[in-house]
Amino acid sequence: MVIALVPYLILVLLVVMVLLSMIRILREYERGVVFTLGRFSGVKGPGLIILIPFVQQMVRVDLRTVVLDVPSQDIISRDNVSVKVNAVVYFRVVDPDKAVIQVERYMEATSQLAQTTLRSVLGKHELDEMLAERDKLNADLQEILDRQTEDWGIKVNNVEIKHVDIDESMVRAIARQAEAERNRRARIINAEGEQQAAQRLVEAAQTLAAAPEAMQLRFLSTLYDISNDRSSTIVFPVPIDLLRNIFDARAGRPGPAPGAAPQNVTNPDAA
């Protein structure tokens, strides 16, 4: 009796196995690329998928964003500086059929493309640009990778340069360059201050020249400021015209009339 039921049990087991092979369950972030007798027949999912056994095959594709770490690359910049640069690439599959049909192992292909693009793009820039314009370089890398992987059904969302490793001797050279740049700026600022001060002095001299009495008041103000100090020596400028008038009065010579032009006397004895 039991021996007679063995064929039926085997048949039931085969039917169950066939039914299990027909059923596929795809998660929300997964899609199934279905091939019927080797030909592409569509993208299915998520949820419950039923396949025809031995006729249809399915390839699972993950649609989540992939974080790809680009290994450190040896790069020679445009100004002949050797650096090591590594980056990280964020991408995801937007067309599962292209990611399966158009390229073999899209993960490895994207990684190799990111490495070559990193070397070619950064090699066209100088070291200062790599350090100061990192956002611009990230945007250029993202645009180039996105354009090249579009045919693979892959969307590159972002590219970030992580580290730029420089040789120790180059670090010292950059420090010396930065110090020289700071000294240059300090000298320029000092020169600009001297120039502005000279312009103000010229304007003040023109104002004082318009009213000679103002110069005397300025002398008195300066003398008052000095008298408040504890210094014992005071050097005070005296106008030459005032001394000339005093010497002329002692010699018995009349001084020049107010408003008269001075006369050039070449021989005082003859006068």
Side-chain angles (χ1 to χ4, degrees):
M1 185 65 179
V2 177
I3 297 176
L5 295 176
V6 171
Y8 296 102
L9 293 176
I10 295 175
L11 181 61
V12 171
L13 183 60
L14 291 176
V15 171
V16 171
M17 293 177 61
V18 170
L19 292 176
L20 292 176
S21 64
M22 293 175 58
I23 299 174
R24 296 288 189 276
I25 298 177
L26 299 178
R27 300 179 180 89
E28 183 65 31
Y29 55 83
E30 291 180 332
R31 297 295 184 271
V33 181
V34 180
F35 296 90
T36 302
L37 296 178
R39 297 181 63 86
F40 171 71
S41 59
V43 179
K44 296 184 179 180
L48 181 64
I49 306 299
I50 297 178
L51 302 176
I52 302 175
F54 309 109
V55 177
Q56 292 182 327
Q57 294 83 30
M58 184 187 70
V59 179
R60 294 176 181 263
V61 179
D62 196 330
L63 301 184
R64 292 177 294 182
T65 299
V66 179
V67 181
L68 178 63
D69 189 11
V70 181
S72 180
Q73 302 295 313
D74 293 328
I75 299 174
I76 299 178
S77 62
R78 193 172 62 180
D79 51 351
N80 296 326
V81 178
S82 179
V83 296
K84 291 184 177 182
V85 182
N86 62 342
V88 59
V89 180
Y90 299 87
F91 70 94
R92 62 186 180 90
V93 177
V94 293
D95 292 329
D97 52 340
K98 291 182 179 180
V100 174
I101 299 174
Q102 299 296 332
V103 62
E104 180 183 6
R105 296 193 297 272
Y106 64 89
M107 288 282 295
E108 182 179 354
T110 305
S111 176
Q112 295 297 326
L113 180 61
Q115 296 178 34
T116 56
T117 304
L118 185 66
R119 289 195 297 268
S120 61
V121 171
L122 296 186
K124 299 177 182 178
H125 295 79
E126 297 181 356
L127 178 61
D128 293 340
E129 296 176 353
M130 296 182 192
L131 299 176
E133 300 180 1
R134 187 169 297 185
D135 293 338
K136 180 179 179 298
L137 295 178
N138 292 336
D140 293 342
L141 290 171
Q142 187 268 336
E143 181 181 358
I144 294 174
L145 286 176
D146 190 27
R147 183 171 61 250
Q148 294 181 351
T149 58
E150 184 178 2
D151 295 335
W152 301 346
I154 294 175
K155 171 64 178 178
V156 178
N157 297 324
N158 193 13
V159 178
E160 292 289 340
I161 298 176
K162 294 172 61 178
H163 299 291
V164 179
D165 296 332
I166 310 173
D167 188 70
E168 186 66 25
S169 60
M170 184 57 61
V171 173
R172 292 193 295 269
I174 294 175
R176 291 194 298 268
Q177 180 182 1
E179 183 178 0
E181 179 67 19
R182 289 193 297 268
N183 292 333
R184 182 184 69 86
R185 293 180 182 178
R187 293 179 180 178
I188 292 176
I189 294 173
N190 189 19
E192 291 178 351
E194 293 293 339
Q195 181 182 6
Q196 295 176 2
Q199 293 176 356
R200 295 296 184 267
L201 288 175
V202 171
E203 294 175 0
Q206 293 175 355
T207 303
L208 293 174
E213 296 81 1
M215 192 64 185
Q216 299 296 331
L217 294 176
R218 183 60 182 167
F219 287 160
L220 295 175
S221 177
T222 304
L223 182 60
Y224 176 77
D225 293 338
I226 296 175
S227 64
N228 293 329
D229 197 358
R230 297 181 180 180
S231 59
S232 59
T233 303
I234 298 177
V235 179
F236 189 79
V238 178
I240 301 300
D241 295 338
L242 179 61
L243 297 178
R244 183 181 300 170
N245 294 332
I246 295 174
F247 293 153
D248 290 343
R250 289 184 178 181
R253 293 193 298 268
Q263 299 179 358
N264 295 329
V265 180
T266 58
N267 190 357
D269 297 334

